[in-house]
């Protein structure tokens, strides 16, 4: 239980519902900003406006996964009001107050730095990335099935990168009967690919490998699927790029050549918002529990 | 090679393209009826009208997977002309001529019987059903991912039947991390389920098992998912019914109770027409090859 | 619970302990013949001599998995006494008394027939065969690992037959990273093999397929791995034959050619007697429960 | 091809044969020390005594995986002669000469340091450790099957550590139908375990988790399976410890309590020497190829 904690949830989408549900169950005192139109009510969680709140007592502020935009605005799906997060607001919180967001940008970085608060970026955590690989792979499956007239089973699928998403994707496509070829640079990734019973190749040989590829899935956030690579693919190849924007594919050239290429950097919130919310909720609960314990120990 | 065979392909959809492609490669002399608007041309395959053809020389007639309707009309996606198959037409073919269709109906059964020709129903074959389970499971995956806000991974998925489709579905959902519970009646199916590392239960206990089910997939062509069963499910349960029409679900009651239930009896042609066509093409080629060999032996 | 049932367990090995344990838990009144040296005692189970028992009250007799030998002797691991089952003994039991054995022979068939009792052969049941495929595959793994200097992972493994054992073996070797090639005759087995993501071939092409095989596992109880087939194998190939005696391999020729070939028809009792006993115990309990219910219904 | 390289292979076991075979194929000029009794001969590889060789021309020296003992002696399975590696010998090689060994010790470290040569420890490489996890898991399977009377399938198996070996072990035991519980400390390992569809727990809860464990497999090279942990296990639990010597188990206490515990730190060379040798051969060839390329570039 997290009894005693006081947290503000500011804006967000369906994922925030799961966070609110979980923290509410753990007895956190919750203040919800930007949720006026949310039908569901949580006993004990108070819907409130940002400037009405007594910020001095907050242990944490939970932002949407996108954080703020470059003007400090926070996206609020369940409200028509504009909510802006400022350095002034952060400065009113107690020094130990933590700001939780998925990602950050120059604006959020700056107000956090100036107010000297701790910023916890959930999407930079390895555990969150691995948990998110689960809804991600299901989104990838859906898109591949929708955008092909052949089955994954029996297809030659090239997966680029054996990181947090790449390992999940490779395993699942293998289980579905695809002939999976994993492209990597690190020798231990090549070794792990072989151990998993998949074909491995060095990224430098990508042009050769795509010559008869049916599906190419990129997870590497650098330009890997270049025009030169795309020019070697058969016309029916489908490219799915899940690397963070702008992806690792030359989309302009793919379109020119008539090769279908889709950039889908944030599948979890789209295909399984409930699960994606639960992932964040679980990690938030764990982080808050650890923080609480540390503060108790040090006090 | 099937050199010497003369086959008429009458009507059909994208799947027929793969059949034509394959048989053409195997040097079958092909006459295509109802393909006027097909862009693609196959060297050696002749587009022809049914009544212009010299039927006396045909070794086989390939109908669409749906066969004919009850008036004898054959569906032709690539033509505006109405094509009707009659007993008279069949009677003009030589006695050894085989009619290939996916399924049959009273009309087709009758004209085949009266003309005393052999009717080969591809969809009643075990091997075709198992091959078709591959595009089917991919269609099921797509639908489940589309119609839920949670991941398959971690969900309790109840699969009804461990037959030709049920085994594939169970294996794939298990590989995706679902908690798979297979309902069956035959003791050897219960045993196989356990061997596969899945939970098994007897169909008679279904009402108990669905109480916390997230996904229910029915493959049994009898009313199994009754109103009584549906009344025990949580509201968020998704029912996918892939049994042949009218399925095994009380859809009326599901709708009344607000439980999403989807009947999808013919996924292969929808989600992966190319693969679905190749499956038919391969089996047709094999059957024709065996027939050819038998006739050569007996002559 | 099976309260009211009275069963004699006559002879057997460690597997019988699990049967006794299970039936005892289910409140069966048990008489144990040939267990004098068994340390473990089960409250309520009586160790008894065959000719001291009042056979008129028995609902069933459980023999060892091997049944009797051709002289009617029953193997008793936990006793020095000779136990012989005769028609006379069976005739003293009530007409509904069922004889349970793993397999039968001419002698057992005859005394059962003459006394007009029901003989239930557990090893002929599909469910028992599938459950037994679990300890069998683990025995196969152990033997392959012991008898090769290379890993299963990466090896070309040829599995003959996709029946009750073949399916389990193929799945497990695939999961371990072997390149599995399944030889079968039935088209639906070929189809299932492909669906599982494995290579398939028709048994008639076996000579071709073994040319670079590292491991060959036969499950078919006919001479399949002939001298001609063996002559095509590389010298390091290991043959494991789990078909019932005498197996499907020309062992004489294999030895002559210096190819290691091992016949292992009854692995479950050897590698995992506890699990093998539990499998039999569960099936026996189920059969007795069904019998009890039927008799209650008909009385 | 590695034409032009001159390498000494000094001592070793069956694994060295594969190294010799591979490097010979790649046209390395090989000198074999301690292989007098090796039947097999490799065209172009010269069997030689250490003190007869012109060490000034060597590009590398390959030691057995154990390196030397603390007196500098090198194990030679295929020879009766004593072979000792000294600083003096190393100093005669050209400065770029690399010493390849599996592991090192104080003696080897010192002579390498004094002679200022490069020491490449293959067993400290991530890729080698991952490749070696393949024969390791097969050895673990064999030992578990040999030392239990129940099947892996259905057993509760606790795997400690999700590192290079732990991931392979967890995956394979899951595929075999075990109920796998992975104990780890790092949050990303917990996340990966969940993604793989396995149960995870924090190492600090180990005492609780082992209470009904059938099999415990430790991969962590610290004392983890303490007397206190062992005291919570059921009597039939089997402990396999594959961490490097002295393992992470209190073997003394396990024996006292009658719990079977086996330390098996170097399975690859035992269960699959051929594969284990090929793993080393492939990595050596790759390393030498890269070295060669670098030296060519810099010259």
């Amino acid at each position: 239980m997290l009894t005693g904690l006081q947290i503000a949830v500011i804006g967000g989408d369906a994922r925030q519902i799961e966070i609110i549900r979980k923290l509410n169950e753990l007895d956190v005192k919750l203040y919800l900003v930007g949720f006026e139109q949310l039908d569901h009510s949580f006993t004990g969680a108070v819907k409130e406006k940002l400037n009405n709140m007594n910020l001095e007592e907050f242990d944490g502020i939970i932002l949407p996964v996108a954080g703020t935009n470059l003007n400090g605005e926070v996206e609020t799906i369940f409200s028509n009001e504009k909510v802006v997060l400022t350095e002034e607001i952060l400065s009113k919180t107690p020094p130990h107050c933590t700001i939780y967001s998925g990602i950050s940008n120059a604006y959020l970085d700056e107000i956090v730095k100036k107010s000297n608060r701790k910023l916890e970026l959930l999407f930079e955590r390895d555990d969150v990335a691995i948990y998110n690989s689960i809804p991600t792979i299901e989104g990838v499956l859906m898109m591949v099935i929708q955008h092909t007239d052949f089955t994954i089973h029996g297809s030659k699928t090239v997966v680029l990168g054996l990181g947090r998403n790449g390992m999940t994707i490779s395993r699942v496509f293998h289980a579905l009967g695809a002939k999976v070829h994993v492209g990597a640079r690190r020798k231990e990734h090549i070794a792990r690919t072989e151990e998993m019973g998949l074909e491995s190749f060095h990224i430098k040989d990508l042009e050769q490998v795509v010559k008869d590829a049916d599906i190419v899935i990129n997870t590497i956030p650098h330009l890997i699927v270049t025009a030169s690579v795309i020019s070697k693919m058969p016309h029916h190849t489908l490219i799915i790029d899940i690397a963070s924007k702008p992806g690792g594919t030359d989309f302009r050239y793919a379109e020119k050549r008539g090769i279908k290429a889709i950039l889908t950097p944030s599948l979890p919130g789209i295909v399984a918002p409930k699960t994606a919310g639960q992932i964040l909720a679980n990690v938030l609960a764990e982080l808050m529990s650890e923080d609480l314990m540390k503060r108790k120990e040090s006090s």
Side-chain angles (χ1 to χ4, degrees), chain A:
Chain A
M1 299 300 281
L2 299 173
T3 310
L5 281 190
Q6 196 160 315
I7 303 281
V9 181
I10 304 182
D13 54 27
R15 285 173 278 189
Q16 254 65 16
I17 313 297
E18 299 302 319
I19 294 171
I20 295 167
R21 189 193 314 278
K22 173 89 180 188
L23 297 183
N24 199 40
E25 277 171 22
L26 292 171
D27 201 27
V28 173
K29 180 76 195 152
L30 288 171
Y31 290 82
L32 314 181
V33 178
F35 288 90
E36 295 93 59
Q37 294 162 16
L38 178 64
D39 286 342
H40 198 93
S41 78
F42 296 92
T43 318
V46 181
K47 292 179 185 170
E48 187 60 277
K49 304 221 181 245
L50 192 50
N51 43 10
N52 291 350
M53 297 201 301
N54 190 358
L55 291 159
E56 289 159 37
E57 297 175 0
F58 279 86
D59 301 294
I61 290 175
I62 299 173
L63 297 176
V65 296
T68 68
N69 70 11
L70 288 172
N71 302 317
E73 291 169 37
V74 177
E75 199 179 28
T76 57
I77 301 280
F78 303 104
S79 167
N80 292 325
E81 289 199 35
K82 191 170 161 180
V83 176
V84 178
L85 193 74
T86 61
E87 185 205 332
E88 198 192 346
I89 291 170
L90 294 188
S91 298
K92 285 186 187 157
T93 63
H96 75 270
C97 179
T98 305
I99 319 303
Y100 301 95
S101 178
I103 55 174
S104 188
N105 60 18
Y107 178 88
L108 183 56
D109 279 348
E110 194 181 329
I111 62 169
V112 165
K113 195 181 170 193
K114 284 191 179 164
S115 58
N116 198 24
R117 294 295 173 266
K118 187 180 158 195
L119 177 62
E120 182 79 58
L121 295 179
L122 299 174
F123 279 21
E124 290 194 351
R125 294 177 58 87
D126 269 346
D127 55 353
V128 170
I130 292 171
Y131 285 123
N132 269 341
S133 75
I134 298 169
T136 295
I137 175 63
E138 300 196 6
V140 169
L141 284 182
M142 186 183 71
M143 303 205 73
V144 169
I145 296 168
Q146 281 173 337
H147 290 282
T148 53
D149 61 356
F150 51 84
T151 55
I152 290 172
H153 187 282
S155 70
K156 176 171 175 181
T157 299
V158 176
V159 178
L160 301 173
L162 194 76
R164 301 167 306 183
N165 276 307
M167 177 167 278
T168 307
I169 293 170
S170 304
R171 195 176 55 70
V172 167
F173 271 73
H174 177 57
L176 279 167
K179 291 166 201 140
V180 178
H181 294 241
V182 178
R185 280 189 218 281
R186 289 164 61 181
K187 283 191 209 302
E188 64 266 34
H189 285 178
I190 301 286
R192 181 56 74 190
T193 301
E194 299 281 328
E195 182 274 314
M196 292 168 78
L198 314 176
E199 299 290 322
S200 68
F201 67 94
H202 192 283
I203 286 286
K204 70 177 160 51
D205 299 323
L206 180 54
E207 294 194 12
Q208 186 60 35
V209 172
V210 299
K211 277 180 180 164
D212 57 352
D214 300 300
I215 302 162
V216 173
I217 303 170
N218 178 50
T219 73
I220 304 174
H222 306 292
L223 184 58
I224 295 277
V225 188
T226 59
S228 177
V229 169
I230 294 169
S231 72
K232 306 295 183 306
M233 295 180 184
H235 267 91
H236 73 272
T237 307
L238 173 68
I239 304 170
I240 303 279
D241 195 327
I242 66 162
S244 47
K245 279 183 192 167
T249 302
D250 186 334
F251 289 97
R252 193 199 51 78
Y253 182 77
E255 191 175 358
K256 190 176 162 193
R257 233 208 112 204
I259 297 250
K260 212 182 282 179
I262 304 171
L263 179 65
T264 59
S266 50
L267 289 166
I270 298 165
V271 298
K274 193 180 173 77
T275 302
Q278 287 167 340
I279 289 169
L280 297 175
N282 289 340
V283 171
L284 280 169
E286 209 172 9
L287 290 174
M288 288 174 184
S289 167
E290 289 170 5
D291 269 8
L292 198 59
M293 224 174 298
K294 273 185 212 157
R295 276 195 287 141
K296 276 183 184 161
E297 280 166 8
S298 66
S299 68

